[in-house]
């Protein structure tokens, strides 16, 4: 409550496959108690593997939220996840990671931006 | 009832301590119940007054996403938990890939709450390889009947097309 101004921080990633289950791509740590807005942009750049389209997840405060990164055949397509709001109790990490094992040899790239509102 | 000795005495029960150096003006109940109108924070020698968002507005988002190859007409790709009665900000996105008939797939994802249509997600399917960007649908919804939010396929998609969607809902009142 003593915080009257918002602050943002962000982490980006660019990781070449193949990917293993629960592989961590980005971590934002040291977040104090508060109410946060989270925006994730992600993309997958070929060689194409559709298993990667919905193979990212955001973990925060014990919750696992889906992230969708898209790809269109051999094209590169960026994707911005819907804005998510979440309460954090403090001392928790916000992590972007891989859901399931994937043999995709392409590159997963993206960023997660977190803004504290209260 | 005795007259208060001073204004300080009169209002002393209207303020409650909510943190180290922080005090909230109480409407009723306690800070823990969320019934605090404003907070007065002391940072160094400065006092700051801060409006507090109602407890409901600090609700974490409900989210869901899904993907399907050759989905069927009416199929739900993503379904959230039930939205309680209240006002919600909703943002849904859709994407279609590996399709060859843009006209069919560009307006074929529908956002529904409690099985009632809210509108369609326009997906910019511009070529033979599918969408060139994700379609976005944003709205503020006054939920009068509790029920889940879903993104459904409307008609039969182009053969071999892949539909993906993500939806998030945040209660604001």
């Amino acid at each position: 409550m003593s915080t009257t101004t918002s602050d943002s921080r962000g982490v980006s990633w660019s990781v070449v496959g193949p990917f293993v289950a629960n592989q961590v791509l980005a971590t934002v740590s040291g977040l104090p108690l508060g109410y946060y807005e989270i925006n994730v942009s992600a993309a997958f750049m070929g060689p194409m593997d559709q298993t990667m389209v919905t193979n990212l997840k955001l973990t925060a405060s014990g919750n696992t939220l889906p992230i969708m990164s898209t790809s269109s055949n051999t094209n590169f397509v960026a994707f911005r996840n819907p804005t998510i709001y979440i309460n954090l109790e403090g001392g928790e990490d916000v992590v972007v990671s891989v859901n399931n094992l994937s043999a995709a040899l392409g590159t997963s790239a993206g960023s997660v931006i977190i803004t504290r509102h209260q | 009832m005795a007259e208060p000795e001073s204004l300080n005495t009169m209002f002393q029960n209207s303020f409650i301590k909510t943190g180290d150096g922080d005090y909230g003006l109480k409407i009723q109940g306690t800070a823990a119940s969320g019934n605090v109108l404003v907070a007065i924070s002391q940072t160094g020698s400065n006092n700051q007054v801060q409006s507090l968002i109602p407890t409901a507005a600090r609700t974490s988002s409900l989210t869901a996403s899904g993907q399907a190859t050759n989905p069927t007409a009416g199929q739900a790709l993503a379904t959230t938990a039930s939205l309680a009665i209240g006002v919600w900000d909703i943002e849904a996105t859709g994407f279609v890939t590996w399709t060859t008939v843009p006209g069919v797939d560009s307006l074929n994802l529908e956002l529904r709450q409690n099985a009632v249509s809210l509108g369609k997600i326009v997906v910019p399917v511009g070529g033979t390889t599918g969408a060139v960007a994700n379609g976005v649908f944003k709205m503020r919804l006054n939920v009068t009947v509790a029920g889940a939010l879903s993104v459904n396929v409307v008609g039969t998609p182009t053969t071999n097309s892949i539909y993906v969607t993500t939806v998030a809902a945040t209660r604001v009142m």
Side-chain angles (χ1 to χ4, degrees):
Chain A
M1 191 178 296
S2 58
T3 298
T4 55
T5 56
S6 296
D7 59 273
S8 296
R9 63 187 76 181
V11 173
S12 61
W13 73 89
S14 179
V15 178
V16 180
F19 302 90
V20 298
N22 300 314
Q23 179 176 340
V24 174
L25 301 175
T27 302
V28 183
S29 56
L31 296 168
L33 181 149
Y35 184 59
Y36 289 87
E37 174 185 334
I38 302 176
N39 287 290
V40 180
S41 296
F44 191 80
M45 294 160 277
M48 183 57 205
D49 188 330
Q50 285 295 332
T51 60
M52 289 303 294
V53 172
T54 52
N55 203 26
L56 298 182
K57 59 185 177 182
L58 179 76
T59 306
S61 191
N63 298 305
T64 299
L65 309 170
I67 298 172
M68 185 167 73
S69 67
T70 61
S71 180
S72 181
N73 204 343
T74 56
N75 296 326
F76 158 75
V77 177
F79 185 89
R80 182 180 176 279
N81 221 53
T83 301
I84 295 167
Y85 293 87
I86 193 166
N87 283 301
L88 295 178
E89 298 299 321
E92 299 158 298
D93 293 341
V94 173
V95 178
V96 175
S97 59
V98 176
N99 249 334
N100 302 308
L101 180 147
S102 172
L105 297 176
T107 301
S108 173
S111 66
V112 53
I113 307 294
I114 297 178
T115 302
R116 184 183 183 196
H117 283 290
Q118 196 175 38
Chain B
M1 181 177 175
E3 291 291 325
E5 296 178 358
S6 67
L7 284 178
N8 285 340
T9 305
M10 185 177 179
F11 292 109
Q12 66 178 359
N13 292 324
S14 298
F15 290 88
I16 53 177
K17 189 170 185 178
T18 57
D20 187 18
D22 298 338
Y23 293 86
L25 173 60
K26 184 171 63 176
I27 301 174
Q28 61 180 7
T30 64
S33 70
N35 296 321
V36 177
L37 179 61
V38 295
I40 301 173
S41 302
Q42 187 171 40
T43 303
S45 59
N46 300 318
N47 288 320
Q48 299 172 317
V49 178
Q50 173 192 9
S51 296
L52 295 183
I53 302 172
T55 301
R58 299 196 298 271
T59 304
S60 296
S61 298
L62 302 177
T63 62
S65 73
Q67 171 191 351
T69 303
N70 282 324
T72 57
Q75 180 177 336
L77 295 178
T79 303
T80 69
S82 179
L83 273 62
I85 292 173
V87 179
W88 294 75
D89 276 346
I90 297 169
E91 185 177 351
T93 60
F95 191 80
V96 179
T97 186
W98 271 324
T99 181
T100 56
V101 186
V104 172
D105 301 290
S106 60
L107 196 60
N108 205 27
L109 282 172
E110 187 172 71
L111 184 64
R112 301 175 184 175
Q113 192 269 325
N114 198 37
V116 177
S117 174
L118 302 175
K120 292 181 180 177
I121 304 170
V122 179
V123 180
V125 180
T128 57
T129 56
V132 295
N134 52 292
V136 179
F137 185 102
K138 286 184 176 182
M139 69 177 300
R140 176 165 288 193
L141 177 67
N142 184 13
V143 174
T144 56
V145 180
L149 197 65
S150 67
V151 177
N152 297 66
V153 177
V154 181
T156 302
T158 300
T159 302
N160 293 329
S161 62
I162 298 169
Y163 278 53
V164 283
T165 186
T166 296
V167 60
T170 306
R171 188 176 177 186
V172 293
M173 279 187 273

